[in-house]
Amino acid sequence: MRTGLYFDFSNRGEQHAPAVLNQILEQVELADYLGYDSCLFADAPFAPNGLSASAAELIGALAASTHGIRLGTANRRLGSYHPARAVENYAVLDQLSNGRVICGVSAVSDAKTFGAFGVDVSEAESRFVEALAFMRRAWSHDAFAFKGAHTCFPRVAGEMQAEFEVEPYQDPYLLPWQRAGLPTTHLAITPRPLQLPYPPIWWHLESNAGVAQAAAQGLSVLPGVDMTHDEVADCYQAYVVALNNAGRAAEEVERPVIRDVFVAASKREALELVGAAYGEAHGGMSEGDLLTEHLIVGDPDEVFAQIKQLQQRASFNHIICRTNVPGVSHLDVITSMKLFAGEVITRLRS
């Protein structure tokens, strides 16, 4: 099983942004050294006290200071802007990181974010589906044209169509000096990603909606941190069925999940250190409900056993841990990361 970290930067209170960001950078660099496999960042524009309006800059900084850990977004909302920007961002980051980028995207509608960018939130789902098709085609073709209900590329290629339609590439290809006076009907978006055919795409979910569509396209799903253990198990059970219906096996795709994970000398010590912080992160939930529905906490033996029990129900093969939440000190996060790496990761891999 692979392991990773997740950061959402929410509700930091009195902490100064530079200090928080420097702590995050230190934690990810340590995770790279300790042998964690991945690190995902939330993309949450306009969040109160949020520092993750755009994860691309953080990933770019970490691409230079890490060596093996995969870096990516958890839930970039594709529908609120032109997908060509996402194509360019992920391609550049993949080049900078030497092919370590993960493209985690979300179809979740956010009226505040969509409204700020002048996009009708009712179009969120259709824009997301269209953006996914655009990105995969842009990464797979040297030059292409795209006409959809929301996106026309290049814009002079024609008017917007009522239904999604991809135009085939038309031979012969004209060299740049042969195009004088001709309308631009096909363009290439460069640079291309280092990974072939493109970075892995993970469909971030907050419910079972989207499971069938992701499975049909061979994409991984990423159950979010706010889903309960039972919801995660239900999601993956539905996903495996959908994969089988699409003629695919679960072993063919990465199966990640985000969970709240914290390791200490004992469960009691872990709860004393992080119980209130995780409760606040989940809207003031009680300790009992947290332990039943969200948290994986305790000493290394207990955490390993809880992860394996959930894996038996949900069949994931990549657990991404939210260890850093507001209210948990930087040193406590570091201690938990080291315990997890030294005494849990080794057993999960064996």
Side-chain angles (χ1 to χ4, degrees), residues 80-227:
S80 58
Y81 51 87
H82 199 290
R85 302 304 303 171
V87 169
E88 295 169 333
N89 288 163
Y90 285 112
V92 171
L93 293 173
D94 204 45
Q95 292 283 347
L96 288 173
S97 65
N98 198 28
R100 291 186 282 135
V101 160
I102 295 170
C103 178
V105 294
S106 173
V108 173
S109 57
D110 180 350
K112 178 173 60 178
T113 301
F114 276 66
F117 291 121
V119 179
D120 189 341
V121 72
S122 66
E123 300 174 352
E125 183 175 352
S126 60
R127 283 180 175 273
F128 173 79
V129 171
E130 192 170 287
L132 272 183
F134 182 97
M135 292 170 65
R136 297 173 78 180
R137 186 161 183 84
W139 284 330
S140 305
H141 293 75
D142 289 331
F144 72 105
F146 187 100
K147 293 181 182 178
H150 310 289
T151 305
C152 183
F153 179 88
R155 190 65 183 89
V156 295
E159 296 302 318
M160 305 291 277
Q161 303 295 308
E163 297 181 358
F164 168 74
E165 175 189 348
V166 175
E167 290 190 347
Y169 175 66
Q170 299 293 326
D171 286 330
Y173 178 75
L174 296 178
L175 295 171
W177 57 84
Q178 296 173 318
R179 301 176 193 164
L182 298 177
T184 302
T185 59
H186 294 74
L187 281 178
I189 298 180
T190 57
R192 303 286 291 279
L194 193 62
Q195 298 178 82
L196 296 175
Y198 41 74
I201 299 174
W202 294 359
W203 191 323
H204 183 276
L205 301 176
E206 295 184 359
S207 68
N208 281 11
V211 165
Q213 298 97 309
Q217 298 180 55
L219 303 180
S220 296
V221 296
L222 176 63
V225 70
D226 291 327
M227 295 178 69

